[in-house]
Amino acid sequence: MARKPRVNDPGYYHIVNRGVNGAKIFNEKEDFFKFMELMLKTKYDYKVIFHAFTILPNHYHILLETTLPNLSEAMRFLNSAYAAWYNYKSGRVGHLWKGRFASYMMFDDAHSWKVIKYIERNALVLGLVEDIKDYEYQSLFLRLKKNKFNEIIEGSQIFQKPLEEYIDWLNKPLENFELEEIYNEPRIVKMDGKLKVIRKKISDFFEEYEEKKAAILAAKEAGYKYTEIARYLGVSSGYINKILKNNK
């Protein structure tokens, strides 16, 4: 399968990376602390804002915001610096990560809040803790406890919710429809030889236009394919063509 185009535009991204072959790559406190130390360096060197994160034994999730077109450079530094340190420390050789990091651009503020909850609840869902407040290697813990890594989440979106409200909100599981949206992202198309990000969801067009034909045409003009529109509506491409013909 071909790799999806890598967008480097400034914006919000959900980043995921895993240990090669599912191996544990964070085994003791020193490992987690080293990764957070490198997150701090990444924050300042690459002008990145970390909104939420959780570091788990064999992978991590991060919601970050880039202010410059340097997502690839920032994550390359974070991953390679940790891999070099970990390999040297443990005397291992070879790749540490499963592959290049996965990145998912956010649609909007509502989307980023769903991803924040998903990230903060990971350790709880995986059974690593019984109380969401107890997992030490995530953004919620940094908000609760003052330590040398607090600066990682300085400027984070999570501070928009009062602490107790935030904890109560995190303790409520995501609905199934919300989980389905976690890894959705804006459409990326190539226009005039350049990548273009379409931040409007297909659903937005059908909310904006009362007439179905107008919504279909607007979505197509924005860069969506008729097959994608048909999939969203739960119909065949032939049905889409029928709507367009009948409304001429």
Side-chain angles (χ1 to χ4, degrees):
M1 183 182 293
R3 287 179 172 180
K4 69 176 184 178
R6 175 74 81 192
V7 177
N8 228 20
D9 295 0
Y12 286 66
Y13 296 88
H14 176 195
I15 309 295
V16 187
N17 212 349
R18 300 178 181 276
V20 65
N21 297 322
K24 283 187 176 182
I25 49 176
F26 302 102
N27 295 287
E28 52 192 354
K29 189 181 289 276
E30 180 186 21
D31 301 337
F32 291 95
F33 281 9
K34 182 62 179 182
F35 193 77
M36 287 194 283
E37 178 185 310
L38 291 169
M39 287 176 69
L40 262 179
K41 184 168 175 55
T42 303
K43 176 185 179 74
Y44 292 116
D45 287 359
Y46 294 90
K47 305 297 185 288
V48 166
I49 300 169
F50 289 104
H51 289 286
F53 74 92
T54 187
I55 310 168
L56 302 157
N58 68 349
H59 71 290
Y60 67 76
H61 290 271
I62 293 172
L63 178 66
L64 60 75
E65 177 185 356
T66 55
T67 58
L68 301 170
N70 63 354
L71 176 67
S72 293
E73 292 86 348
M75 293 312 303
R76 188 182 303 120
F77 165 75
L78 179 59
N79 288 325
S80 62
Y82 181 75
W85 175 85
Y86 185 87
N87 281 354
Y88 177 79
K89 170 205 163 190
S90 59
R92 71 182 296 279
V93 294
H95 295 294
L96 182 68
W97 302 104
K98 180 180 178 181
R100 71 172 188 166
F101 66 93
S103 64
Y104 306 89
M105 183 180 281
M106 298 295 97
F107 273 107
D108 48 32
D109 197 51
H111 188 193
S112 66
W113 278 117
K114 292 183 182 78
V115 172
I116 286 171
K117 179 182 276 197
Y118 177 78
I119 289 172
E120 295 273 40
R121 286 182 54 82
N122 247 252
L124 181 68
V125 170
L126 292 173
L128 299 179
V129 290
E130 294 183 0
D131 188 325
I132 200 167
K133 299 190 297 295
D134 290 342
Y135 194 68
E136 191 173 353
Y137 312 114
Q138 68 181 45
S139 36
L140 172 61
F141 194 85
L142 293 190
R143 187 173 178 185
L144 287 166
K145 309 289 183 181
K146 301 296 182 186
N147 65 35
K148 64 181 180 179
F149 297 117
N150 284 120
E151 289 179 49
I152 290 175
I153 57 169
E154 194 174 78
S156 167
Q157 182 177 327
I158 68 175
F159 291 101
Q160 293 176 17
K161 291 182 184 290
L163 181 57
E164 291 306 317
E165 177 188 324
Y166 185 61
I167 294 170
D168 288 344
W169 174 73
L170 290 177
N171 274 313
K172 296 173 184 174
L174 286 156
E175 301 286 348
N176 286 335
F177 77 91
E178 293 177 309
L179 287 169
E180 289 173 1
E181 294 177 11
I182 296 299
Y183 290 102
N184 287 344
E185 62 179 329
R187 181 87 164 81
I188 301 168
V189 296
K190 202 164 191 177
M191 299 182 72
D192 299 324
K194 296 181 180 179
L195 293 179
K196 177 186 175 184
V197 179
I198 307 169
R199 294 185 180 277
K200 288 181 71 171
K201 302 174 186 177
I202 293 180
S203 58
D204 292 341
F205 295 99
F206 289 89
E207 291 173 6
E208 184 177 340
Y209 296 92
E210 292 184 11
E211 187 187 4
K212 190 175 287 186
K213 176 186 175 182
I216 292 170
L217 290 174
K220 178 66 168 61
E221 185 177 347
Y224 285 101
K225 296 177 181 177
Y226 284 145
T227 52
E228 294 173 306
I229 301 168
R231 194 179 308 118
Y232 166 75
L233 293 173
V235 299
S236 67
S237 296
Y239 180 76
I240 296 291
N241 290 328
K242 185 178 178 181
I243 290 176
L244 298 177
K245 286 180 181 177
N246 291 342
N247 285 277
K248 283 184 176 178

